[in-house]
Amino acid sequence: MKHIIILGDGMADWPVKSLGGKTLLQSAKTPYMDKLARMGRVGRLKTVADGFHPGSEVANMSVLGYNLPKVYEGRGPLEAASIGVDLKPGEMAMRCNIICIEGDNIKNHSAGHITTEEADVLVKYLQEQLGDERVRFYTGVQYRHLLVIKGGDKRIDCTPPHDVPLKPFRPLLVKPFASVDKVTSEQGDKGDSGLVDKVTSERGDKGDSGLVDKVTSEQGDKEDSGADAAQLLVNSSTETLLTLPPLTPQQTADLINDLIMRSQRLLQNHPINQKRMAEGKDPANSIWPWSPGYRPQMERLSDKFPQVKRGAVISAVDLINGIGYYAGLRRLTVEGATGLYDTNYENKVAAALDALKTDDFVYLHIEASDEAGHEGDISLKTLTIENLDSRAVGPVYEAVKNWDEPVAIAVLPDHPTPCELRTHTNEPVPFFIWYPGIEPDEVQTFDEVAACNGSYGLMKEDEFINEFMRE
């Protein structure tokens, strides 16, 4: 049996007053998801483990069954893998947004959705002006880029910029965790999770447990558009690691904050921003690094499920492609995949179906609902849910339902992104599993409320993926 997971990022939501107390999944027209839920079996999945923030990297790793306290290393290293940066021992990677500051406040986390072409000019300029043997900037896509710090210490408190629109930025600058103030070189490093790491003087690949930096369920990570075609890994030199001493958490925080303030002075009058402002667009006038970590130690999906001899990931999101890289899935780049509501569903579905002809497992990730949730746009998010149903779930089902080799289909969000809150939460998400011959339960529709009555109940950790992959 072949397997495909269709992941509607951020699709789950809260009851909406203007919809008569229904969630968007309840209100939207989703005949295919309802049909497959009715023909299959339904449940709920806890995708955010206790102590973790409800970020997309956390939730998608949970969907695939990874043990988060063991392997989680933040968003930065996953996005590094996606854009071809091979992290070496002692190198700390961070997502580096280019944002818009207005006065002393964060106006938005995306610099008004700056284009990749514009951002590439700015990132290369920052590398010329701020990069050195310890600090290096890499271009990603649109407003999402990468900062690598050799010898950086990830035990720092960083705020995702999409969680704090219109808030003053200075109180949100990077700080060291208070719990690491009295750590000696012979002792392990104790992070806020209370778990002690055996950190060496070289800092190695293994950092703290990855448990989060004082982030509540009201905080989360906004999904993002993906990188260009997969490229060969960029080998970072390890020679300088021998001459650069590791930084303390305080030194790491001070370095990052200095980079933020210097970037604002450099970008303020850059020609790209002069042109953007003349066109009435937001300037991209500051960097904002966050979600630090080292190279993760993740097993390949085929190691856990030997029937997956070959698998693929399809996403316009860097971190999803990074997860796929470490999971041993080949990345399929799709023309027109934007990570927004205008993404090319048809091309993504075509790529998924082509992959299923040769592969055993496909992870089809669609970002649009999450972006709409972050915008707080109920109508737009409803449209993205209906598009997922009619332009992704339906065509996949219709194509594979009569294949000689059966195909199992699972559909679920990774986390809720309520329009009311405009960021992620950690409530369990609904899911269904269908394949030819499955014995259905009594659930008739696919939504957050109906799933509470599903026969799978509430699953956690690797229970969902184990059930889905069960032959």
Side-chain angles (χ1 to χ4, degrees):
M1 185 181 295
K2 296 174 179 284
H3 298 80
I4 180 170
I5 293 176
I6 303 176
L7 196 295
D9 202 293
M11 183 166 57
D13 212 298
W14 292 348
V16 177
K17 185 176 181 180
S18 63
L19 299 177
K22 294 181 178 181
T23 69
L24 278 70
L25 269 173
Q26 288 180 298
S27 176
K29 295 179 177 62
T30 56
Y32 276 106
M33 287 191 279
D34 291 342
K35 177 179 181 177
L36 289 173
R38 188 162 55 249
M39 295 168 55
R41 297 179 62 192
V42 179
R44 295 189 301 154
L45 176 63
K46 181 179 178 180
T47 59
V48 181
D50 293 340
F52 284 81
H53 68 278
S56 289
E57 76 281 19
V58 167
N60 281 273
M61 289 172 71
S62 291
V63 170
L64 290 172
Y66 283 103
N67 183 331
L68 290 172
K70 182 179 179 181
V71 304
Y72 179 75
E73 280 289 345
R75 175 181 290 238
L78 299 173
E79 299 193 348
S82 178
I83 64 174
V85 177
D86 186 20
L87 294 177
K88 300 302 181 183
E91 294 184 330
M92 182 185 78
M94 302 183 74
R95 153 68 78 80
C96 187
N97 281 43
I98 294 183
I99 68 173
C100 177
I101 299 286
E102 189 171 67
D104 285 329
N105 294 340
I106 296 176
K107 183 177 182 183
N108 58 61
H109 67 283
S110 63
H113 289 287
I114 188 170
T115 67
T116 301
E117 292 73 21
E118 292 172 309
D120 182 51
V121 175
L122 298 181
V123 172
K124 288 177 177 175
Y125 175 64
L126 291 173
Q127 174 58 28
E128 291 173 0
Q129 299 296 317
L130 302 179
D132 55 29
E133 62 178 357
R134 188 181 289 278
V135 172
R136 188 158 188 88
F137 294 90
Y138 296 89
T139 301
V141 174
Q142 296 173 356
Y143 60 88
R144 301 164 296 275
H145 307 284
L146 182 71
L147 170 64
V148 175
I149 299 176
K150 294 181 180 180
D153 193 312
K154 76 171 187 178
R155 296 170 299 167
I156 50 178
D157 188 358
C158 306
T159 301
H162 53 265
D163 281 344
V164 286
L166 308 181
K167 298 292 181 63
F169 78 88
R170 293 180 190 276
L172 303 172
L173 290 170
V174 181
K175 305 173 185 64
F177 284 138
S179 58
V180 297
D181 288 342
K182 298 181 180 180
V183 178
T184 68
S185 60
E186 284 115 11
Q187 266 181 323
D189 294 332
K190 184 174 182 180
D192 66 326
S193 68
L195 299 180
V196 179
D197 300 321
K198 298 178 181 179
V199 181
T200 68
S201 60
E202 295 179 338
R203 297 300 304 159
D205 283 347
K206 181 177 180 181
D208 62 23
S209 66
L211 297 182
V212 293
D213 18 307
K214 302 178 183 176
V215 183
T216 69
S217 65
E218 294 184 353
Q219 291 178 305
D221 300 347
K222 181 175 180 181
E223 288 295 334
D224 321 292
S225 301
D228 294 327
Q231 47 188 307
L232 294 176
L233 293 177
V234 180
N235 292 317
S236 303
S237 171
T238 58
E239 295 178 359
T240 55
L241 293 177
L242 302 177
T243 60
L244 290 174
L247 302 176
T248 66
Q250 183 66 63
Q251 290 171 330
T252 303
D254 290 344
L255 171 60
I256 295 167
N257 291 335
D258 180 62
L259 292 171
I260 290 173
M261 301 308 297
R262 291 169 67 191
S263 76
Q264 293 181 12
R265 293 192 291 271
L266 289 168
L267 296 176
Q268 181 179 8
N269 295 311
H270 191 280
I272 290 288
N273 281 325
Q274 294 296 314
K275 182 175 183 292
R276 287 181 62 83
M277 289 187 288
E279 295 171 347
K281 299 177 181 177
D282 289 332
N285 55 12
S286 181
I287 62 168
W288 195 266
W290 57 287
S291 198
Y294 314 118
R295 184 187 180 102
Q297 301 298 312
M298 293 168 57
E299 66 177 344
R300 297 163 67 92
L301 203 63
S302 58
D303 293 334
K304 185 170 184 177
F305 302 107
Q307 67 268 41
V308 181
K309 298 178 178 61
R310 180 179 168 96
V313 60
I314 302 168
S315 178
V317 177
D318 280 342
L319 75 91
I320 304 300
N321 288 312
I323 292 171
Y325 171 82
Y326 284 113
L329 305 177
R330 63 192 182 101
R331 175 182 178 179
L332 300 182
T333 302
V334 176
E335 183 179 357
T338 66
L340 298 171
Y341 43 84
D342 62 351
T343 197
N344 194 320
Y345 292 85
E346 289 71 26
N347 281 2
K348 296 185 82 166
V349 167
L353 293 174
D354 283 344
L356 280 174
K357 294 174 183 176
T358 57
D359 293 20
D360 309 295
F361 179 89
V362 173
Y363 198 78
L364 174 58
H365 173 270
I366 296 176
E367 171 68 11
S369 293
D370 186 64
E371 293 290 335
H374 282 295
E375 293 180 18
D377 192 327
I378 294 171
S379 297
L380 180 60
K381 185 171 180 181
T382 299
L383 175 63
T384 65
I385 293 171
E386 293 177 347
N387 280 339
L388 182 79
D389 185 82
S390 64
R391 300 171 66 185
V393 177
V396 168
Y397 166 71
E398 293 292 350
V400 306
K401 64 181 182 180
N402 294 319
W403 281 13
D404 292 337
E405 183 172 2
V407 177
I409 300 173
V411 175
L412 73 165
D414 51 350
H415 52 70
T417 306
C419 289
E420 177 183 336
L421 189 62
R422 299 181 65 178
T423 191
H424 302 179
T425 63
N426 61 3
E427 293 99 340
V429 299
F431 72 86
F432 69 74
I433 294 173
W434 172 87
Y435 54 83
I438 188 173
E439 183 177 349
D441 55 24
E442 300 299 319
V443 176
Q444 299 298 301
T445 60
F446 180 62
D447 58 67
E448 301 87 347
V449 177
C452 294
N453 298 316
S455 57
Y456 287 127
L458 177 61
M459 290 185 164
K460 60 182 181 179
E461 298 171 349
D462 62 354
E463 293 175 344
F464 162 78
I465 195 68
N466 288 343
E467 177 64 28
F468 181 56
M469 298 301 296
R470 185 165 59 91
E471 293 288 338

